[in-house]
Amino acid sequence: MYRLSLGESSSSPREAIVAKWLKAEGQVVTAGDSIVRLETGDANLELTSAVAGTVRQIAIREGLACRVGQVLCYVGDPAEPIPAVSPVNDAPTVSARASAQESKETVQTPTTIPEEALMSPDTPSSSSSPSSSPTTGPTGQVIPILMPQAGQSMEEGTVLEWKVAEGDSISEGQVILEIETDKANMDVEAVDSGRLAKIVAQAGAIVEVKVPIAYLADNDADVEAFIAGQGMAPEAPADPSPSVTRDETPVTGAKTASSVRSSGRVKASPAARKLAAQKNIDLNRVSQGSGPGGRVLTTDLASVEAAPGSSVGGQLSKMRRAIARNLLFSKQTIPHFYAKATIEAQRLYETYGRVKSGQFQCTINDFVVAACARSVREFEPFRGQFQADETIKVFPDCNIGLAVGTDEGLTVPVVLHADRLTLDALAAEIRNIVEGARRGKMANVGQGVFTITNLGMFGVESFQAIINPPESAILAVGALREDVKVENGAIKPTRLMALTLSVDHRVIDGVVAARFLARVRELLEAPEQLL
Amino acid sequence: MSTEYDITVIGAGPGGYVAALKAARMGARVAVVEKGHLGGACLNVGCIPSKALLASAELLHKIRAAGSMGVKVHGGIEFDWAKIQKRKDKVIRKLRGGIKGLLGAGDVHLMTGTATFKAAGTLTVTTSEGKEETIHTKNTIIATGSVPARVPGWPTDPQWVCTSDEALHWKALPKRLLIVGGGVIGCEFACMMHEYGVEVHVVEMLDGLLTGMESQLGDALEASFRQRGIRILTSAKVEGMTVGQTDVTVSVSGEAPLAVDKVLVAIGRRPNTEHLGLDAIGLAPDRGFLRVDDRMQTEVAGVYCIGDANGRCLLAHAASAQGEAAVQDALGRGEAFSLPIPSAVYTFPEVAAVGMTTREATEQGIPVKVGQFPIGYLGKAMAVGEEGGFARVVRHRDDNTLLGVHLIGHNATEIIEVATAMLTMKADTQALAKMVFAHPTLGEAVKEAAEDSFEAALHLPPREFAKVVAAVEEVSIQ
Ligand SMILES: Cc1cc2nc3c(=O)[nH]c(=O)nc-3n(C[C@H](O)[C@H](O)[C@H](O)COP(=O)(O)OP(=O)(O)OC[C@H]3O[C@@H](n4cnc5c(N)ncnc54)[C@H](O)[C@@H]3O)c2cc1C
């Protein structure tokens, strides 16, 4: 699990206001995605994420202030438990800080700023009261050594024998103890060098995986302080049932010699390991994990194929489960209203051909997106969303989603401000996000107001699509096909394309839907307007 | 002879003397007891003397910049410290006389001496010669103010370590001065002393100046100070000091020992409630402060406490406003006092604010939207050569209520009144954005900031968002 915050830099403000979340809880973040907008009054910032994962919890609501270093949101694997923080006032204190790169905990004992003994809390003037100075306790580094997890099924291990004693200095790679698991006895190597300050699990002790068995530190006092600091939140979960809750501790203080031999050392989040096991994916085949230090996350597995002979059958992937839930929710709660129009697409076809051969790379679908974007701008109800409190919230931006089928399932990356892009820019952007989506990178997911789904390339003539909540409309685009049309009593060969609109009838009236569709038709039948 | 008063006020600072005048105006029999000079800390060792010294410093600052305005000053720029002090003293004397005149005209019985409680409704007044007098009163208003806090263990000889009380009346200026505390008083002294040629170091334990205010104000002031050559050490702590033959050596966390001529301790104020005999009426202060309700009444009926002594807001105008509220309640016409109180810092540039900070709103879970406008964009600012600073408006994100206005810049302490007016009237932020301001004025920044909070400031480019990578920390969640 990662906590994301506004970093400290000379140019960054000390405090900013969370203006807008660009990702909602539960949404997938890919490295490089924008996640939140912060306002300071002069320099406004859009924070991007350097890590991939799912937004598990937003710690600061829109409209509230955050300080440098204060956690804004947690990003992690969907299987990890949600941190127990109060959403508003997560104090930016340092208690147990893990350095992500090295995958080990660097712990600082908490320091407190003394209450200003003499000043009234209401006074606007601050004071410094050197007499009541912060109690500077030991602040050295403490690295816990954890019971390693050797294999998916291992839940606990027994310490058989320590090969080193308290006070010894140990070095990386050195075998420091022997453990017994349900399967075998194995040697455990140190991952870090340092002074073994304290052994907390003596020979014979049975310890759950990923629970500290010893600590590295220069100073014994630091260890005491560290352990004391953990008092409220013990390393060992209170409920020792083999649930996922224990799996997320991203800290691996030790590795087993055996695991090194068998697999090399692939850093992966526990959830990723679980998913990999389910899908029979060899973690070694993931070239580069997107977590810090190359740690493999579940999102990295999307593009990796299962080993031959695997059966994916049984359990649905997270993504498929989410899709299933979403579709069911949509069909069950949104009163869908459908309207279909078949447009004459001869000119569209010709314009497309001309542009593509002489101007820029584009597809028929790009024209459809452009026509829809413009119509969405013109028809406010198409930017509205039905709220739980039975009001309709209208969004200003014409962000258009595109349904993209991937092997993992359906995803809807979004083009922001599609109405403001020229057709060539729009085409490039669409290419970009669609390719991204096929590679598992989801652009601006969840920010759309309208979705377009196109099965024309498969020869589907027309179909009705299910609205992608919380949006209120989706357009299903059929194949552009050669056909005949009766015009003034005469049969004329031409090209036709069927457009089927589904709208949330609570938000969009039938007449409005019809007008919208007419407008889209008007634009597509005279596509020069879109250039 | 013993009269019974309706109200007796202890202390004649801005809280006490205003309360006494108000009580007299409302027809009460009123006495005010003062052990020192009329006007309290504000007039004698606070607001007024500091503003007088700052005014001379600011003029000096302006004259030094005269060249940029096309004005030539021949023969060098000098100042006469003794004369600056004299002018300040004259202002103080004049105002003291004014208060005395007002109290006399208002038929307030002024007693000189120290008041202590003997019992509820009975006070003893002891004069400096040791004469005692007992007075009986239906209501008592404690307006005894505060004194500068000192740090236990530090030298107390004012030749080396002083507080604002002494520093305002220095006969000679130190060459090197270390100011402990970057709050209002510390900043005002840093600003003026620097202008008078003193080498100034400010040590603040928290992470910025003026930390109780909107953080951007302190940041901007800090930048302005640093640029002028005032040394600011934030998140730093004075760990100790030793007095030598000719100077004081101060050790500051993370810094080489620093030799200075004087140390000014500006870490806050301590309420003046120790020797009042509060035991006699069963009142126990909380860290020295006498906690009161919104009508300024203490836990003992008929005993009120206003101003610095109750710790609600350590500002002169707060003391006065509370004084009036207490009197009204004592005379049976009270209501809860809840008006917004502006705060003002008289550095140059000036800093002023009223209402909530974004931080306070966040602590109360109120979602906000801010608008900000740089003063330098205004025609008036350029014309008068005062381009620093900005106005910042904080409003409720959803219902537009005006929550706070925060200013830094020339004349900010005057401009803030417009915001206070709107806030007092509980205006909607749209009203502030719509209000017509005279042009060209610096106050226009407030209007523009209000507009900007709706992303509608006409003189600002549309907002842009610079992309920054978020800091990432891996955590384990139990
Ligand atoms: C350097 C400095 C600058 C400041 N600048 C500003 C500013 O610009 N603006 C602002 O709003 N505020 C400013 N302040 C704060 C302001 O001075 C105080 O908030 C204000 O004086 C408080 O008023 P008061 O009536 O509560 O108490 P005080 O002004 O402290 O008055 C209390 C009076 O009570 C008397 N007294 C105490 N005990 C007894 C007793 N037992 N019997 C009889 N008399 C007694 C004291 O002698 C004193 O005269 C400044 C303060 C300082 C130190």
Side-chain angles (χ1 to χ4, degrees), chain A residues 1 3 5 14 39-40 44 46 48 62-63 65 97 119-120 122 126-128 248 250, chain B residues 211 219 237 267-268 311-312 362 368 392 397 463 466 468 470-471 473-475 477:
Chain A
M1 184 83 69
R3 43 188 277 178
S5 59
R14 277 195 289 147
E39 285 180 351
T40 62
N44 295 320
E46 187 168 299
T48 60
E62 289 180 1
R97 188 186 273 172
M119 287 296 290
S120 134
D122 309 342
S126 76
S127 79
S128 50
E248 73 296 333
Chain B
T211 47
D219 290 349
K237 204 183 102 203
I267 59 163
R312 288 197 157 202
T362 293
V368 300
R392 187 171 161 95
R397 182 185 157 100
R463 287 172 182 234
V468 173
E473 226 178 341
E474 186 162 6
V475 285
I477 310 294

mmCIF file of all heavy atoms in Angstrom, chain A residues 1 3 5 14 39-40 44 46 48 62-63 65 97 119-120 122 126-128 248 250, chain B residues 211 219 237 267-268 311-312 362 368 392 397 463 466 468 470-471 473-475 477:
data_model
loop_
_atom_site.group_PDB
_atom_site.id
_atom_site.type_symbol
_atom_site.label_atom_id
_atom_site.label_comp_id
_atom_site.label_asym_id
_atom_site.label_seq_id
_atom_site.Cartn_x
_atom_site.Cartn_y
_atom_site.Cartn_z
ATOM 1 N N MET A 1 0.862 -1.196 0.000
ATOM 2 C CA MET A 1 0.000 0.000 0.000
ATOM 3 C C MET A 1 0.894 1.242 0.000
ATOM 4 O O MET A 1 1.880 1.306 0.700
ATOM 5 C CB MET A 1 -0.860 -0.023 1.266
ATOM 6 C CG MET A 1 -1.849 1.084 1.351
ATOM 7 S SD MET A 1 -3.383 0.806 0.468
ATOM 8 C CE MET A 1 -4.153 -0.483 1.418
ATOM 9 N N ARG A 3 1.162 5.506 0.316
ATOM 10 C CA ARG A 3 0.437 6.735 0.624
ATOM 11 C C ARG A 3 0.992 7.841 -0.252
ATOM 12 O O ARG A 3 2.194 8.010 -0.374
ATOM 13 C CB ARG A 3 0.493 7.088 2.109
ATOM 14 C CG ARG A 3 1.846 6.927 2.759
ATOM 15 C CD ARG A 3 1.736 7.100 4.228
ATOM 16 N NE ARG A 3 1.764 8.521 4.553
ATOM 17 C CZ ARG A 3 1.654 8.985 5.777
ATOM 18 N NH1 ARG A 3 1.459 8.162 6.778
ATOM 19 N NH2 ARG A 3 1.725 10.271 6.006
ATOM 20 N N SER A 5 1.244 11.860 -1.261
ATOM 21 C CA SER A 5 1.109 13.158 -0.617
ATOM 22 C C SER A 5 1.752 14.216 -1.491
ATOM 23 O O SER A 5 2.410 13.905 -2.479
ATOM 24 C CB SER A 5 1.799 13.125 0.752
ATOM 25 O OG SER A 5 3.166 12.814 0.587
ATOM 26 N N ARG A 14 3.392 25.079 1.214
ATOM 27 C CA ARG A 14 3.342 24.293 2.436
ATOM 28 C C ARG A 14 1.963 23.702 2.617
ATOM 29 O O ARG A 14 1.761 22.733 3.315
ATOM 30 C CB ARG A 14 3.633 25.188 3.648
ATOM 31 C CG ARG A 14 5.101 25.390 3.903
ATOM 32 C CD ARG A 14 5.292 25.946 5.285
ATOM 33 N NE ARG A 14 4.849 27.312 5.400
ATOM 34 C CZ ARG A 14 4.316 27.826 6.511
ATOM 35 N NH1 ARG A 14 4.142 27.082 7.562
ATOM 36 N NH2 ARG A 14 3.948 29.075 6.538
ATOM 37 N N GLU A 39 -5.264 23.341 -5.198
ATOM 38 C CA GLU A 39 -5.214 24.778 -5.425
ATOM 39 C C GLU A 39 -4.502 25.450 -4.268
ATOM 40 O O GLU A 39 -4.694 25.074 -3.120
ATOM 41 C CB GLU A 39 -6.633 25.352 -5.506
ATOM 42 C CG GLU A 39 -7.317 25.039 -6.793
ATOM 43 C CD GLU A 39 -8.720 25.622 -6.842
ATOM 44 O OE1 GLU A 39 -9.208 26.111 -5.799
ATOM 45 O OE2 GLU A 39 -9.316 25.584 -7.910
ATOM 46 N N THR A 40 -3.713 26.435 -4.613
ATOM 47 C CA THR A 40 -3.064 27.188 -3.558
ATOM 48 C C THR A 40 -3.465 28.644 -3.622
ATOM 49 O O THR A 40 -3.190 29.408 -2.734
ATOM 50 C CB THR A 40 -1.543 27.121 -3.703
ATOM 51 O OG1 THR A 40 -1.215 27.726 -4.962
ATOM 52 C CG2 THR A 40 -1.039 25.715 -3.688
ATOM 53 N N ASN A 44 -1.311 26.407 -9.007
ATOM 54 C CA ASN A 44 -2.216 25.272 -8.871
ATOM 55 C C ASN A 44 -1.518 24.018 -9.394
ATOM 56 O O ASN A 44 -0.771 24.079 -10.354
ATOM 57 C CB ASN A 44 -3.499 25.532 -9.641
ATOM 58 C CG ASN A 44 -4.250 26.704 -9.035
ATOM 59 O OD1 ASN A 44 -4.301 26.847 -7.819
ATOM 60 N ND2 ASN A 44 -4.795 27.552 -9.875
ATOM 61 N N GLU A 46 -1.448 19.748 -10.312
ATOM 62 C CA GLU A 46 -2.144 18.501 -10.602
ATOM 63 C C GLU A 46 -1.154 17.404 -10.262
ATOM 64 O O GLU A 46 -0.090 17.311 -10.854
ATOM 65 C CB GLU A 46 -2.521 18.476 -12.082
ATOM 66 C CG GLU A 46 -3.393 17.306 -12.459
ATOM 67 C CD GLU A 46 -3.994 17.478 -13.857
ATOM 68 O OE1 GLU A 46 -4.743 18.452 -14.074
ATOM 69 O OE2 GLU A 46 -3.669 16.665 -14.721
ATOM 70 N N THR A 48 0.387 13.806 -10.097
ATOM 71 C CA THR A 48 0.332 12.542 -10.824
ATOM 72 C C THR A 48 0.920 11.455 -9.942
ATOM 73 O O THR A 48 1.656 11.745 -9.000
ATOM 74 C CB THR A 48 1.130 12.624 -12.135
ATOM 75 O OG1 THR A 48 2.497 12.925 -11.803
ATOM 76 C CG2 THR A 48 0.590 13.700 -13.046
ATOM 77 N N GLU A 62 -12.578 16.855 -1.074
ATOM 78 C CA GLU A 62 -12.484 18.083 -1.853
ATOM 79 C C GLU A 62 -12.904 19.253 -0.985
ATOM 80 O O GLU A 62 -13.871 19.162 -0.240
ATOM 81 C CB GLU A 62 -13.404 18.001 -3.085
ATOM 82 C CG GLU A 62 -12.890 17.023 -4.124
ATOM 83 C CD GLU A 62 -13.794 16.926 -5.358
ATOM 84 O OE1 GLU A 62 -14.809 17.634 -5.426
ATOM 85 O OE2 GLU A 62 -13.465 16.117 -6.246
ATOM 86 N N GLY A 63 -12.132 20.323 -1.101
ATOM 87 C CA GLY A 63 -12.467 21.524 -0.338
ATOM 88 C C GLY A 63 -11.685 21.655 0.950
ATOM 89 O O GLY A 63 -11.654 22.711 1.546
ATOM 90 N N ALA A 65 -8.069 21.396 3.256
ATOM 91 C CA ALA A 65 -6.658 21.715 3.041
ATOM 92 C C ALA A 65 -5.777 20.529 3.391
ATOM 93 O O ALA A 65 -6.124 19.702 4.228
ATOM 94 C CB ALA A 65 -6.277 22.917 3.892
ATOM 95 N N ARG A 97 7.716 4.921 9.090
ATOM 96 C CA ARG A 97 7.815 5.305 7.699
ATOM 97 C C ARG A 97 8.633 4.250 6.971
ATOM 98 O O ARG A 97 9.713 3.895 7.399
ATOM 99 C CB ARG A 97 8.512 6.661 7.636
ATOM 100 C CG ARG A 97 8.498 7.244 6.252
ATOM 101 C CD ARG A 97 9.323 8.479 6.246
ATOM 102 N NE ARG A 97 8.542 9.650 6.628
ATOM 103 C CZ ARG A 97 9.106 10.818 6.844
ATOM 104 N NH1 ARG A 97 10.387 10.971 6.784
ATOM 105 N NH2 ARG A 97 8.365 11.842 7.145
ATOM 106 N N MET A 119 0.826 30.423 25.585
ATOM 107 C CA MET A 119 -0.035 31.190 24.706
ATOM 108 C C MET A 119 -1.449 30.658 24.744
ATOM 109 O O MET A 119 -1.688 29.483 24.892
ATOM 110 C CB MET A 119 0.490 31.079 23.277
ATOM 111 C CG MET A 119 1.745 31.858 23.070
ATOM 112 S SD MET A 119 1.459 33.603 23.286
ATOM 113 C CE MET A 119 0.471 33.915 21.837
ATOM 114 N N SER A 120 -2.343 31.547 24.544
ATOM 115 C CA SER A 120 -3.720 31.124 24.402
ATOM 116 C C SER A 120 -3.851 30.431 23.059
ATOM 117 O O SER A 120 -3.219 30.831 22.095
ATOM 118 C CB SER A 120 -4.609 32.352 24.435
ATOM 119 O OG SER A 120 -5.536 32.274 23.395
ATOM 120 N N ASP A 122 -6.132 30.696 21.093
ATOM 121 C CA ASP A 122 -6.847 31.529 20.137
ATOM 122 C C ASP A 122 -5.979 32.613 19.539
ATOM 123 O O ASP A 122 -6.368 33.283 18.605
ATOM 124 C CB ASP A 122 -8.029 32.242 20.814
ATOM 125 C CG ASP A 122 -8.896 31.263 21.576
ATOM 126 O OD1 ASP A 122 -8.779 30.072 21.282
ATOM 127 O OD2 ASP A 122 -9.645 31.702 22.436
ATOM 128 N N SER A 126 2.181 33.336 17.034
ATOM 129 C CA SER A 126 2.715 32.040 17.422
ATOM 130 C C SER A 126 3.812 32.271 18.431
ATOM 131 O O SER A 126 4.263 33.375 18.632
ATOM 132 C CB SER A 126 3.306 31.347 16.217
ATOM 133 O OG SER A 126 4.530 31.956 15.935
ATOM 134 N N SER A 127 4.229 31.244 19.055
ATOM 135 C CA SER A 127 5.325 31.438 19.982
ATOM 136 C C SER A 127 6.217 30.241 19.917
ATOM 137 O O SER A 127 5.831 29.170 19.490
ATOM 138 C CB SER A 127 4.781 31.563 21.390
ATOM 139 O OG SER A 127 4.478 30.296 21.875
ATOM 140 N N SER A 128 7.410 30.453 20.340
ATOM 141 C CA SER A 128 8.256 29.285 20.485
ATOM 142 C C SER A 128 8.703 29.280 21.920
ATOM 143 O O SER A 128 9.131 30.293 22.436
ATOM 144 C CB SER A 128 9.444 29.373 19.544
ATOM 145 O OG SER A 128 10.046 30.623 19.682
ATOM 146 N N GLU A 248 -0.780 -8.109 3.174
ATOM 147 C CA GLU A 248 -0.385 -6.874 2.517
ATOM 148 C C GLU A 248 0.890 -6.268 3.045
ATOM 149 O O GLU A 248 1.427 -5.386 2.430
ATOM 150 C CB GLU A 248 -1.496 -5.842 2.603
ATOM 151 C CG GLU A 248 -1.670 -5.235 3.978
ATOM 152 C CD GLU A 248 -2.098 -6.250 4.989
ATOM 153 O OE1 GLU A 248 -2.735 -7.225 4.568
ATOM 154 O OE2 GLU A 248 -1.793 -6.089 6.163
ATOM 155 N N PRO A 250 3.985 -4.939 3.124
ATOM 156 C CA PRO A 250 4.872 -4.955 1.982
ATOM 157 C C PRO A 250 6.328 -5.085 2.397
ATOM 158 O O PRO A 250 7.215 -5.009 1.584
ATOM 159 C CB PRO A 250 4.616 -3.604 1.330
ATOM 160 C CG PRO A 250 4.188 -2.734 2.455
ATOM 161 C CD PRO A 250 3.574 -3.604 3.491
ATOM 162 N N THR B 211 2.297 31.828 12.335
ATOM 163 C CA THR B 211 1.722 30.511 12.056
ATOM 164 C C THR B 211 0.235 30.385 12.365
ATOM 165 O O THR B 211 -0.393 29.477 11.870
ATOM 166 C CB THR B 211 2.467 29.397 12.800
ATOM 167 O OG1 THR B 211 2.632 29.820 14.136
ATOM 168 C CG2 THR B 211 3.786 29.114 12.151
ATOM 169 N N ASP B 219 4.362 32.910 4.731
ATOM 170 C CA ASP B 219 5.351 32.562 3.706
ATOM 171 C C ASP B 219 5.764 33.794 2.912
ATOM 172 O O ASP B 219 6.940 34.002 2.629
ATOM 173 C CB ASP B 219 4.769 31.522 2.730
ATOM 174 C CG ASP B 219 4.582 30.156 3.384
ATOM 175 O OD1 ASP B 219 5.092 29.979 4.517
ATOM 176 O OD2 ASP B 219 3.938 29.292 2.780
ATOM 177 N N LYS B 237 15.260 26.155 17.219
ATOM 178 C CA LYS B 237 14.981 26.317 18.634
ATOM 179 C C LYS B 237 16.200 26.912 19.313
ATOM 180 O O LYS B 237 17.320 26.515 19.020
ATOM 181 C CB LYS B 237 14.735 24.913 19.189
ATOM 182 C CG LYS B 237 13.924 24.838 20.419
ATOM 183 C CD LYS B 237 13.847 23.408 20.863
ATOM 184 C CE LYS B 237 14.790 23.171 22.000
ATOM 185 N NZ LYS B 237 15.213 21.833 22.191
ATOM 186 N N ILE B 267 7.748 35.360 22.673
ATOM 187 C CA ILE B 267 7.177 34.024 22.526
ATOM 188 C C ILE B 267 5.723 33.962 22.960
ATOM 189 O O ILE B 267 5.131 32.895 22.984
ATOM 190 C CB ILE B 267 7.976 32.990 23.344
ATOM 191 C CG1 ILE B 267 7.979 33.384 24.808
ATOM 192 C CG2 ILE B 267 9.391 32.851 22.810
ATOM 193 C CD1 ILE B 267 8.379 32.257 25.732
ATOM 194 N N GLY B 268 5.172 35.098 23.335
ATOM 195 C CA GLY B 268 3.773 35.054 23.746
ATOM 196 C C GLY B 268 3.553 35.871 25.000
ATOM 197 O O GLY B 268 4.469 36.534 25.489
ATOM 198 N N GLY B 311 -7.905 35.200 27.387
ATOM 199 C CA GLY B 311 -7.190 34.365 26.421
ATOM 200 C C GLY B 311 -7.932 34.061 25.139
ATOM 201 O O GLY B 311 -7.475 33.275 24.336
ATOM 202 N N ARG B 312 -9.091 34.683 24.943
ATOM 203 C CA ARG B 312 -9.835 34.366 23.714
ATOM 204 C C ARG B 312 -9.158 34.925 22.488
ATOM 205 O O ARG B 312 -9.113 34.293 21.437
ATOM 206 C CB ARG B 312 -11.246 34.933 23.785
ATOM 207 C CG ARG B 312 -12.116 34.200 24.749
ATOM 208 C CD ARG B 312 -13.560 34.533 24.461
ATOM 209 N NE ARG B 312 -14.398 33.478 24.980
ATOM 210 C CZ ARG B 312 -15.625 33.227 24.556
ATOM 211 N NH1 ARG B 312 -16.153 33.947 23.594
ATOM 212 N NH2 ARG B 312 -16.318 32.253 25.084
ATOM 213 N N THR B 362 -10.803 23.499 7.492
ATOM 214 C CA THR B 362 -10.542 22.073 7.326
ATOM 215 C C THR B 362 -10.718 21.335 8.645
ATOM 216 O O THR B 362 -11.310 20.260 8.697
ATOM 217 C CB THR B 362 -9.122 21.871 6.777
ATOM 218 O OG1 THR B 362 -9.101 22.388 5.455
ATOM 219 C CG2 THR B 362 -8.741 20.410 6.744
ATOM 220 N N VAL B 368 -13.827 24.265 1.392
ATOM 221 C CA VAL B 368 -13.624 25.646 0.963
ATOM 222 C C VAL B 368 -13.205 25.730 -0.488
ATOM 223 O O VAL B 368 -12.771 24.761 -1.110
ATOM 224 C CB VAL B 368 -12.537 26.348 1.811
ATOM 225 C CG1 VAL B 368 -12.910 26.372 3.258
ATOM 226 C CG2 VAL B 368 -11.163 25.725 1.590
ATOM 227 N N ARG B 392 -6.570 37.183 -0.497
ATOM 228 C CA ARG B 392 -7.007 35.793 -0.589
ATOM 229 C C ARG B 392 -8.353 35.674 0.104
ATOM 230 O O ARG B 392 -8.515 36.096 1.249
ATOM 231 C CB ARG B 392 -5.957 34.931 0.112
ATOM 232 C CG ARG B 392 -6.141 33.449 -0.008
ATOM 233 C CD ARG B 392 -4.885 32.791 0.557
ATOM 234 N NE ARG B 392 -5.113 31.415 0.886
ATOM 235 C CZ ARG B 392 -4.829 30.400 0.064
ATOM 236 N NH1 ARG B 392 -4.300 30.609 -1.104
ATOM 237 N NH2 ARG B 392 -5.058 29.162 0.436
ATOM 238 N N ARG B 397 -17.276 26.177 -0.081
ATOM 239 C CA ARG B 397 -17.269 25.632 -1.430
ATOM 240 C C ARG B 397 -18.687 25.423 -1.977
ATOM 241 O O ARG B 397 -18.930 25.590 -3.160
ATOM 242 C CB ARG B 397 -16.533 24.295 -1.373
ATOM 243 C CG ARG B 397 -16.368 23.578 -2.667
ATOM 244 C CD ARG B 397 -15.722 22.232 -2.346
ATOM 245 N NE ARG B 397 -15.995 21.282 -3.390
ATOM 246 C CZ ARG B 397 -15.130 20.968 -4.342
ATOM 247 N NH1 ARG B 397 -13.959 21.544 -4.386
ATOM 248 N NH2 ARG B 397 -15.440 20.084 -5.251
ATOM 249 N N ARG B 463 -7.169 29.654 -14.698
ATOM 250 C CA ARG B 463 -6.311 28.821 -13.851
ATOM 251 C C ARG B 463 -5.653 27.704 -14.646
ATOM 252 O O ARG B 463 -6.300 27.065 -15.465
ATOM 253 C CB ARG B 463 -7.144 28.163 -12.767
ATOM 254 C CG ARG B 463 -7.560 29.129 -11.745
ATOM 255 C CD ARG B 463 -8.529 28.497 -10.799
ATOM 256 N NE ARG B 463 -8.920 29.534 -9.861
ATOM 257 C CZ ARG B 463 -8.830 29.395 -8.555
ATOM 258 N NH1 ARG B 463 -8.408 28.280 -8.043
ATOM 259 N NH2 ARG B 463 -9.173 30.385 -7.762
ATOM 260 N N ALA B 466 -0.206 22.946 -12.884
ATOM 261 C CA ALA B 466 1.104 22.402 -13.218
ATOM 262 C C ALA B 466 1.163 20.967 -12.714
ATOM 263 O O ALA B 466 0.768 20.690 -11.579
ATOM 264 C CB ALA B 466 2.191 23.230 -12.561
ATOM 265 N N VAL B 468 2.690 17.797 -11.146
ATOM 266 C CA VAL B 468 3.745 17.478 -10.199
ATOM 267 C C VAL B 468 3.537 16.040 -9.772
ATOM 268 O O VAL B 468 2.392 15.603 -9.594
ATOM 269 C CB VAL B 468 3.631 18.394 -8.952
ATOM 270 C CG1 VAL B 468 4.605 17.975 -7.883
ATOM 271 C CG2 VAL B 468 3.854 19.841 -9.333
ATOM 272 N N ALA B 470 3.312 13.161 -7.241
ATOM 273 C CA ALA B 470 3.034 13.050 -5.810
ATOM 274 C C ALA B 470 4.150 12.280 -5.124
ATOM 275 O O ALA B 470 4.755 11.385 -5.711
ATOM 276 C CB ALA B 470 1.707 12.340 -5.595
ATOM 277 N N ALA B 471 4.414 12.653 -3.882
ATOM 278 C CA ALA B 471 5.385 11.903 -3.096
ATOM 279 C C ALA B 471 4.739 10.568 -2.718
ATOM 280 O O ALA B 471 3.553 10.517 -2.425
ATOM 281 C CB ALA B 471 5.750 12.677 -1.848
ATOM 282 N N GLU B 473 5.006 6.992 -0.429
ATOM 283 C CA GLU B 473 5.614 6.319 0.691
ATOM 284 C C GLU B 473 4.934 4.968 0.804
ATOM 285 O O GLU B 473 3.709 4.888 0.716
ATOM 286 C CB GLU B 473 5.296 7.112 1.946
ATOM 287 C CG GLU B 473 6.480 7.325 2.824
ATOM 288 C CD GLU B 473 6.042 8.170 4.008
ATOM 289 O OE1 GLU B 473 5.003 8.831 3.942
ATOM 290 O OE2 GLU B 473 6.756 8.117 4.981
ATOM 291 N N GLU B 474 5.706 3.952 0.958
ATOM 292 C CA GLU B 474 5.074 2.650 1.105
ATOM 293 C C GLU B 474 4.767 2.448 2.577
ATOM 294 O O GLU B 474 5.589 2.735 3.432
ATOM 295 C CB GLU B 474 6.009 1.543 0.609
ATOM 296 C CG GLU B 474 5.311 0.196 0.616
ATOM 297 C CD GLU B 474 6.022 -0.836 -0.246
ATOM 298 O OE1 GLU B 474 7.114 -0.526 -0.742
ATOM 299 O OE2 GLU B 474 5.469 -1.935 -0.398
ATOM 300 N N VAL B 475 3.557 2.002 2.864
ATOM 301 C CA VAL B 475 3.198 1.810 4.258
ATOM 302 C C VAL B 475 2.599 0.434 4.434
ATOM 303 O O VAL B 475 2.032 -0.139 3.512
ATOM 304 C CB VAL B 475 2.156 2.848 4.734
ATOM 305 C CG1 VAL B 475 2.799 4.179 4.945
ATOM 306 C CG2 VAL B 475 1.006 2.951 3.753
ATOM 307 N N ILE B 477 -0.220 -1.551 6.455
ATOM 308 C CA ILE B 477 -1.430 -1.272 7.220
ATOM 309 C C ILE B 477 -1.785 -2.506 8.010
ATOM 310 O O ILE B 477 -1.927 -3.588 7.448
ATOM 311 C CB ILE B 477 -2.597 -0.946 6.258
ATOM 312 C CG1 ILE B 477 -2.187 0.104 5.246
ATOM 313 C CG2 ILE B 477 -3.829 -0.563 7.027
ATOM 314 C CD1 ILE B 477 -1.912 1.445 5.810
#
